[in-house]
Amino acid sequence: MDKKIISAAGFFGMSAIILGAFGAHALKKLLTIDQLTSFETGVKYQMYHALFLLFLGLSNQISHKTKKTIFILVVNGIVCFSGSIYLLSTTAITNVNFKSIGFITPIGGLLLIVAWSVLMIHFFKKKA
C-alpha cells in the first residue's frame, strides 16, 4: 500500500508542477486573471495533497486500514476538486461548457476535508 501511495504522491506532485508551468507560461496569454487564479488554486491544492500523500505513505504511525481510507479520499478529492477547477477555468479556450460539472468542485473539497479529519481522528484515538 505504501508503494502505491508514494507513487500516487509522485504522480500528483509531478503533474502539479507541469500544470503550474503550463498555466504560468502557455495559459497566461489565453486566460483572464480570474481564470488563471482559479487554475492556480487547483494546482496549489493538488500539490498540497501530493505532499499529504507522501507523508501518508512514509508514516509508520498510521494503520493500513486508515491509510487506505485516506488514500481513496485524497485521490478522489484531488480529481474532483482540482480536476473540475482545471476544466472550469479553461472553458474559454476549450469552447466546452463545463459549468454543469461545477457541483463536483465542492464535493472534491469535502473529500479532502474528510481525509484530513480521518487522519486527525486516527491520532486522537491512538494510544500514546
Side-chain angles (χ1 to χ4, degrees):
M1 185 72 187
D2 290 340
K3 183 177 177 182
K4 186 177 186 177
I5 294 170
I6 294 170
S7 296
F11 170 77
F12 284 120
M14 175 192 65
S15 58
I17 292 168
I18 292 168
L19 289 166
F22 180 68
H25 300 288
L27 296 180
K28 190 174 189 177
K29 298 172 185 162
L30 302 171
L31 300 180
T32 66
I33 297 293
D34 288 343
Q35 292 167 330
L36 194 56
T37 300
S38 185
F39 189 89
E40 289 171 352
T41 298
V43 171
K44 281 191 266 185
Y45 276 77
Q46 180 174 330
M47 181 56 83
Y48 298 153
H49 289 88
L51 294 171
F52 182 26
L53 288 174
L54 184 61
F55 160 77
L56 184 68
L58 294 173
S59 177
N60 292 326
Q61 298 182 24
I62 304 168
S63 71
H64 176 78
K65 181 180 174 187
T66 300
K67 280 186 180 188
K68 185 175 181 181
T69 300
I70 292 171
F71 174 71
I72 290 166
L73 289 166
V74 170
V75 168
N76 287 303
I78 291 171
V79 170
C80 291
F81 184 81
S82 292
S84 64
I85 288 176
Y86 299 145
L87 294 175
L88 289 165
S89 64
T90 58
T91 295
I93 59 173
T94 61
N95 292 321
V96 178
N97 185 354
F98 291 110
K99 290 189 193 264
S100 63
I101 65 157
F103 71 94
I104 293 175
T105 309
I107 292 171
L110 180 62
L111 292 171
L112 296 172
I113 291 167
V114 172
W116 284 98
S117 299
V118 169
L119 178 71
M120 181 182 65
I121 290 166
H122 174 77
F123 280 104
F124 273 138
K125 286 183 174 181
K126 192 171 178 159
K127 296 178 177 119

